[in-house]
Amino acid sequence: MDLSFQARPFAFDRIFTAAPSAPPGRAPDRDAVSLAIELELLQADIARRDADHHAELTRARADGFEAGLVHARADRETALLAAIDALHVGVESLTETVEETRAQLIDDAADLARAAATHLAAHTLALDPAAPIDAAIGRALVQVARGTELVVRVHPDLLPEIEARIAVRQGNDRRRLRLHVEADETLAIGDARIDWDEGGSCLDRAAREAAIRNEFETLLDHNSLRS
């Protein structure tokens, strides 16, 4: 038996050759199909992620706009309330000022009215000092009985004027007027004293001025209460 053998070199390398491509008309192998499917899935995932990103961005913008709008409304309401408060304060201050001005105007008007009334009364007395006395004689004749004797006392300077007025009054009255005029130096021009048996009447400037002041004060007090 022959134990001899022939040595051969051992091949340590391997030679790989590319797989032959599928000829036309044949379906691609399984690896190519898998890669195509994975590529489509990847593209779909990318598209979905893009859509989600766009949706999140749109939502974030909407939320930001809404938050800004709410903040702007809050700021507007705060500013509006502050403006209303300031307006109320201004109106209250203006009302107080108007009331103070109105009260001052009323006081000024009252002073002016008193001064004007006093001036007019003095002016009337200076123009015709006998007129108030003649009017007082007329009032006295209405109060007394027919035929009552009246004594009229006036300043000596007014004696002729009062006598002339009594003559005119007697000429206009069918009854006999028993009127006598006497001079009294203690009376001021325009003042008079009328006496009869049952009573008398005094006419003086101080009383007339006091009556005028009282009338104006009563009128002003009434207007103040009504306002």
Side-chain angles (χ1 to χ4, degrees):
M1 181 176 182
D2 186 2
L3 297 175
S4 62
F5 61 89
Q6 185 176 357
R8 295 180 180 178
F10 183 79
F12 289 96
D13 58 343
R14 296 184 62 183
I15 298 174
F16 299 93
T17 59
S21 59
R26 289 183 57 187
D29 56 15
R30 185 174 297 175
D31 292 338
V33 174
S34 298
L35 289 175
I37 293 174
E38 290 179 0
L39 181 59
E40 291 179 359
L41 293 175
L42 182 60
Q43 289 176 346
D45 185 62
I46 292 174
R48 180 182 57 80
R49 291 178 182 270
D50 288 340
D52 292 343
H53 176 72
H54 181 72
E56 290 293 335
L57 184 61
T58 302
R59 189 181 301 109
R61 289 177 178 174
D63 293 342
F65 178 78
E66 184 66 24
L69 185 60
V70 171
H71 183 71
R73 288 174 178 172
D75 290 344
R76 183 188 63 183
E77 292 178 358
T78 302
L80 182 60
L81 291 176
I84 292 175
D85 292 339
L87 181 61
H88 286 169
V89 173
V91 170
E92 292 176 357
S93 177
L94 181 60
T95 301
E96 294 176 358
T97 302
V98 170
E99 291 297 330
E100 294 175 358
T101 303
R102 180 175 179 275
Q104 185 62 44
L105 288 176
I106 291 176
D107 293 340
D108 294 343
D111 294 338
L112 180 60
R114 292 189 184 98
T118 303
H119 177 74
L120 289 175
H123 184 65
T124 301
L125 184 61
L127 291 177
D128 191 2
I133 300 175
D134 184 54
I137 293 173
R139 292 192 296 271
L141 289 174
V142 174
Q143 297 177 20
V144 301
R146 181 184 295 270
T148 302
E149 183 178 359
L150 281 74
V151 178
V152 182
R153 294 179 175 84
V154 298
H155 190 274
D157 294 345
L158 290 181
L159 191 62
E161 179 67 23
I162 297 302
E163 289 177 343
R165 297 213 177 203
I166 289 177
V168 173
R169 186 179 290 277
Q170 179 64 72
N172 295 329
D173 200 326
R174 291 178 299 176
R175 65 177 177 172
R176 171 139 178 102
L177 302 177
R178 303 179 60 184
L179 295 172
H180 303 282
V181 184
E182 297 180 359
D184 189 343
E185 294 182 353
T186 62
L187 295 175
I189 295 179
D191 292 349
R193 180 178 176 85
I194 305 173
D195 296 320
W196 58 90
D197 292 340
E198 293 81 8
S201 175
C202 293
L203 186 67
D204 64 89
R205 181 175 180 176
R208 291 196 299 273
E209 291 180 351
I212 291 174
R213 286 195 301 269
N214 182 66
E215 288 295 328
F216 273 101
E217 289 174 357
T218 302
L219 178 62
L220 293 173
D221 291 341
H222 176 71
N223 289 336
S224 299
L225 291 175
R226 186 174 60 182
S227 59

